[in-house]
Amino acid sequence: MPLDRLDPTLVSQVDALREEGRAKAPERIIEGCIPAEGALGPRYKMRGSDQAFLRMNSNSYLSLSHHPDLLKAADDAAHAFGAGPGAVRFIDGTFAPHVELECCISGFTGRPAARVFNSAYTSILGLALALTGKDTYWVGDELNHNCIIRAMRVANVPRERRSIFRHNDVAHLRECLDAVPEGIGRVVVIFDGIFSMRGDHAPLQEIADLCAGYHERFRDGVITVMDDSHGIGAYGDTGRGTEEHCGARADVLVGTFGKAFGVNGGFVAASEAVIEAVRQMADTYIYTNPLGAPDAAAAVAAVRLADSDTGRGQLANLRARTLQFRAGLEARGLESIDGPHPVVPLLVRDTDRTRGLVSNLFEQGVLAVGLTFPVVPRGDETIRFQINAAHTEADIEQLLGSLDRCLS
Ligand SMILES: Cc1ncc(COP(=O)(O)O)c(C=O)c1O
């Protein structure tokens, strides 16, 4: 029994996580979706429960994943190309929908070129591998998503060639840039666009202006990379994300098709040269299967829809429902973090209370996520509510009513 010695060690490691309160709870299983009816938006059936749940923990901001255009595109592509790609991109695993998607997202983001990965996570890992040379220095926001932190490790960036600035603190970023040691030829400043635990966004204009001032100091300049996975599709007047909201641009943009667009997959959008370097050097592009053609085709349909009157209509409802919920929290004197993004945190600031409230909400038929240490810093324990375009006025009223009962 070759695992007989390893298994007990792993069991005690997981037990230790449980004792520290850091272990993940068992996963709930969604067994069915009930379409919107009358004044109510969609509901979900969960294994082991007879209730119909209101889902406030989905990243599917534009509520497109059941849209007939996406389903038809996926279905047609599955019939034309099969369910899976059969090989990596370089070994004839590139299908017409991949190329169409790259064209579509480079147009949507206003970049000369783009490459599609099987997730935003693998996009960032691949990009870091492609951009890291022996004299590259990385500077990141302290609240960056795990994929960026992991990317630094995967790309073997040593401690002396990276630094971290306090969340959204441009003055501290300036200090970090001032402290870049001699001999560095390329500096990459990397940050989330929307910070998914808080719903706030990077001060993109200020970051871009600051970095421009340091550009001449380094052989390859200072490059800004923004992962706008929660912004793209969901934020800004036409869903172009944090760039549109701020009226500024990052040099390299990373995003996902798995949130606002309701499908799956990630992308890097930038200059032709950066994208070709990514294609040649990003292991997570080269050595792993791409998205299946059905996902890629559905993502094309989603980006097109997002950029149409339908998408603008979804965005308008998303905004209206977000405002309604935020106003409800404010009227009840509950603490949140300001901003128009559909991630709306309710700051509870206590681990046990956060867990208790999330489980009370579940009993009332509401799915929400509690964020506790180490996902958020201690003291910032939060319930994260995510508004989706399919939520109705009555859904938000129901949610606020449930919160009232939980808090009374
Ligand atoms: C900033 C950021 N980047 C990347 C991801 C991962 O996206 P994907 O599921 O496409 O890998 C997330 C998702 O939570 C995220 O918040």
Side-chain angles (χ1 to χ4, degrees), residues 90 115 117 123 126-128 130-131 252 268 272-283 285-286:
F90 286 93
R115 279 283 147 177
F117 287 68
S123 306
L127 179 69
L131 292 184
V252 179
V268 180
E272 300 270 6
V274 166
I275 296 306
E276 180 57 10
V278 160
R279 197 175 80 89
Q280 298 291 344
M281 293 188 252
D283 290 1
Y285 179 84
I286 300 169

Short mmCIF file of all heavy atoms in Angstrom, two decimals, residues 90 115 117 123 126-128 130-131 252 268 272-283 285-286:
data_model
loop_
_atom_site.label_atom_id
_atom_site.label_comp_id
_atom_site.label_asym_id
_atom_site.label_seq_id
_atom_site.Cartn_x
_atom_site.Cartn_y
_atom_site.Cartn_z
N PHE A 90 -0.27 24.26 -30.02
CA PHE A 90 0.80 24.12 -31.02
C PHE A 90 0.71 22.80 -31.80
O PHE A 90 1.34 22.65 -32.83
CB PHE A 90 2.19 24.19 -30.34
CG PHE A 90 2.56 25.59 -29.93
CD1 PHE A 90 2.28 26.06 -28.66
CD2 PHE A 90 3.18 26.45 -30.82
CE1 PHE A 90 2.61 27.34 -28.28
CE2 PHE A 90 3.52 27.73 -30.46
CZ PHE A 90 3.23 28.19 -29.18
N ARG A 115 -4.22 36.72 -26.49
CA ARG A 115 -4.14 35.25 -26.47
C ARG A 115 -5.09 34.74 -25.40
O ARG A 115 -5.19 35.32 -24.31
CB ARG A 115 -2.73 34.77 -26.13
CG ARG A 115 -1.80 34.79 -27.31
CD ARG A 115 -2.04 33.62 -28.26
NE ARG A 115 -1.76 34.07 -29.62
CZ ARG A 115 -1.80 33.31 -30.69
NH1 ARG A 115 -2.11 32.04 -30.59
NH2 ARG A 115 -1.56 33.80 -31.87
N PHE A 117 -6.27 31.80 -22.79
CA PHE A 117 -5.81 30.70 -21.94
C PHE A 117 -7.02 29.96 -21.40
O PHE A 117 -8.15 30.41 -21.58
CB PHE A 117 -5.00 31.24 -20.75
CG PHE A 117 -3.63 31.77 -21.11
CD1 PHE A 117 -3.47 32.91 -21.86
CD2 PHE A 117 -2.50 31.11 -20.66
CE1 PHE A 117 -2.22 33.41 -22.18
CE2 PHE A 117 -1.23 31.58 -20.97
CZ PHE A 117 -1.09 32.74 -21.73
N SER A 123 -3.51 32.43 -17.23
CA SER A 123 -3.05 33.57 -18.03
C SER A 123 -1.97 34.33 -17.27
O SER A 123 -0.91 34.68 -17.82
CB SER A 123 -4.18 34.56 -18.33
OG SER A 123 -5.27 33.93 -18.93
N GLY A 126 1.27 32.33 -16.95
CA GLY A 126 2.00 32.32 -18.22
C GLY A 126 2.64 33.66 -18.51
O GLY A 126 3.79 33.74 -18.96
N LEU A 127 1.90 34.71 -18.26
CA LEU A 127 2.43 36.06 -18.51
C LEU A 127 3.67 36.32 -17.65
O LEU A 127 4.67 36.86 -18.14
CB LEU A 127 1.34 37.10 -18.20
CG LEU A 127 1.74 38.55 -18.40
CD1 LEU A 127 1.95 38.87 -19.88
CD2 LEU A 127 0.68 39.50 -17.82
N ALA A 128 3.59 35.90 -16.37
CA ALA A 128 4.74 36.12 -15.48
C ALA A 128 5.96 35.36 -15.99
O ALA A 128 7.09 35.88 -15.96
CB ALA A 128 4.39 35.70 -14.06
N ALA A 130 6.59 34.66 -19.07
CA ALA A 130 7.08 35.31 -20.29
C ALA A 130 7.79 36.63 -19.99
O ALA A 130 8.71 37.02 -20.71
CB ALA A 130 5.91 35.54 -21.25
N LEU A 131 7.35 37.34 -18.95
CA LEU A 131 7.92 38.66 -18.70
C LEU A 131 9.12 38.65 -17.76
O LEU A 131 9.84 39.64 -17.65
CB LEU A 131 6.85 39.60 -18.11
CG LEU A 131 5.70 40.03 -19.02
CD1 LEU A 131 4.80 41.04 -18.32
CD2 LEU A 131 6.23 40.63 -20.33
N VAL A 252 -0.62 46.14 -20.13
CA VAL A 252 -1.03 44.76 -20.42
C VAL A 252 -2.28 44.48 -19.59
O VAL A 252 -2.32 44.77 -18.39
CB VAL A 252 0.09 43.75 -20.03
CG1 VAL A 252 -0.36 42.32 -20.31
CG2 VAL A 252 1.39 44.08 -20.76
N VAL A 268 -4.88 37.38 -22.18
CA VAL A 268 -3.92 38.48 -22.04
C VAL A 268 -4.08 39.32 -23.30
O VAL A 268 -4.08 38.77 -24.41
CB VAL A 268 -2.47 37.96 -21.94
CG1 VAL A 268 -1.51 39.14 -21.81
CG2 VAL A 268 -2.31 37.01 -20.77
N GLU A 272 1.42 43.37 -30.14
CA GLU A 272 1.75 42.14 -30.88
C GLU A 272 2.98 41.46 -30.29
O GLU A 272 3.04 40.23 -30.17
CB GLU A 272 2.07 42.48 -32.35
CG GLU A 272 0.95 43.15 -33.12
CD GLU A 272 0.04 42.14 -33.81
OE1 GLU A 272 0.23 40.93 -33.60
OE2 GLU A 272 -0.88 42.58 -34.53
N ALA A 273 3.99 42.28 -29.92
CA ALA A 273 5.26 41.70 -29.44
C ALA A 273 5.07 40.97 -28.11
O ALA A 273 5.58 39.86 -27.92
CB ALA A 273 6.32 42.80 -29.30
N VAL A 274 4.31 41.58 -27.19
CA VAL A 274 4.07 40.92 -25.90
C VAL A 274 3.30 39.61 -26.13
O VAL A 274 3.63 38.56 -25.55
CB VAL A 274 3.30 41.85 -24.93
CG1 VAL A 274 2.75 41.07 -23.73
CG2 VAL A 274 4.19 42.98 -24.44
N ILE A 275 2.31 39.67 -26.99
CA ILE A 275 1.46 38.48 -27.18
C ILE A 275 2.26 37.35 -27.87
O ILE A 275 2.11 36.17 -27.53
CB ILE A 275 0.17 38.86 -27.95
CG1 ILE A 275 -0.67 39.82 -27.11
CG2 ILE A 275 -0.65 37.62 -28.33
CD1 ILE A 275 -1.00 39.34 -25.70
N GLU A 276 3.14 37.71 -28.79
CA GLU A 276 3.95 36.65 -29.41
C GLU A 276 4.93 36.07 -28.38
O GLU A 276 5.17 34.85 -28.36
CB GLU A 276 4.68 37.19 -30.66
CG GLU A 276 5.57 36.19 -31.39
CD GLU A 276 4.84 34.90 -31.87
OE1 GLU A 276 3.60 34.83 -31.82
OE2 GLU A 276 5.55 33.96 -32.28
N ALA A 277 5.47 36.94 -27.51
CA ALA A 277 6.37 36.44 -26.45
C ALA A 277 5.61 35.48 -25.52
O ALA A 277 6.13 34.44 -25.12
CB ALA A 277 6.96 37.61 -25.66
N VAL A 278 4.39 35.83 -25.22
CA VAL A 278 3.55 34.97 -24.36
C VAL A 278 3.35 33.62 -25.06
O VAL A 278 3.48 32.55 -24.46
CB VAL A 278 2.19 35.67 -24.09
CG1 VAL A 278 1.13 34.69 -23.65
CG2 VAL A 278 2.38 36.77 -23.04
N ARG A 279 3.04 33.66 -26.35
CA ARG A 279 2.80 32.42 -27.10
C ARG A 279 4.04 31.52 -27.09
O ARG A 279 3.96 30.31 -27.03
CB ARG A 279 2.43 32.79 -28.54
CG ARG A 279 1.77 31.68 -29.32
CD ARG A 279 1.34 32.19 -30.69
NE ARG A 279 2.47 32.25 -31.61
CZ ARG A 279 2.86 31.24 -32.39
NH1 ARG A 279 2.19 30.11 -32.36
NH2 ARG A 279 3.89 31.36 -33.18
N GLN A 280 5.21 32.16 -27.14
CA GLN A 280 6.45 31.38 -27.20
C GLN A 280 6.95 30.92 -25.84
O GLN A 280 7.66 29.94 -25.74
CB GLN A 280 7.57 32.23 -27.85
CG GLN A 280 7.29 32.64 -29.28
CD GLN A 280 7.32 31.46 -30.26
OE1 GLN A 280 7.82 30.38 -29.95
NE2 GLN A 280 6.74 31.66 -31.44
N MET A 281 6.63 31.70 -24.78
CA MET A 281 7.31 31.46 -23.49
C MET A 281 6.40 31.09 -22.33
O MET A 281 6.89 30.76 -21.24
CB MET A 281 8.11 32.71 -23.10
CG MET A 281 9.28 32.99 -24.01
SD MET A 281 10.28 34.31 -23.35
CE MET A 281 9.91 35.64 -24.46
N ALA A 282 5.08 31.19 -22.52
CA ALA A 282 4.18 30.92 -21.38
C ALA A 282 3.86 29.43 -21.33
O ALA A 282 3.10 28.91 -22.15
CB ALA A 282 2.90 31.74 -21.54
N ASP A 283 4.44 28.75 -20.35
CA ASP A 283 4.22 27.29 -20.26
C ASP A 283 2.74 26.93 -20.12
O ASP A 283 2.31 25.88 -20.59
CB ASP A 283 4.97 26.72 -19.05
CG ASP A 283 6.48 26.75 -19.25
OD1 ASP A 283 6.92 27.22 -20.33
OD2 ASP A 283 7.21 26.31 -18.35
N TYR A 285 0.40 28.25 -21.55
CA TYR A 285 -0.22 28.32 -22.89
C TYR A 285 0.25 27.14 -23.73
O TYR A 285 -0.51 26.54 -24.48
CB TYR A 285 0.17 29.64 -23.58
CG TYR A 285 -0.41 29.79 -24.96
CD1 TYR A 285 -1.70 30.27 -25.14
CD2 TYR A 285 0.32 29.41 -26.09
CE1 TYR A 285 -2.25 30.38 -26.42
CE2 TYR A 285 -0.22 29.51 -27.36
CZ TYR A 285 -1.51 29.99 -27.52
OH TYR A 285 -2.06 30.09 -28.77
N ILE A 286 1.55 26.81 -23.56
CA ILE A 286 2.19 25.85 -24.47
C ILE A 286 1.88 24.40 -24.11
O ILE A 286 1.63 23.57 -24.98
CB ILE A 286 3.73 26.07 -24.45
CG1 ILE A 286 4.06 27.49 -24.92
CG2 ILE A 286 4.45 25.04 -25.33
CD1 ILE A 286 5.51 27.91 -24.69
#
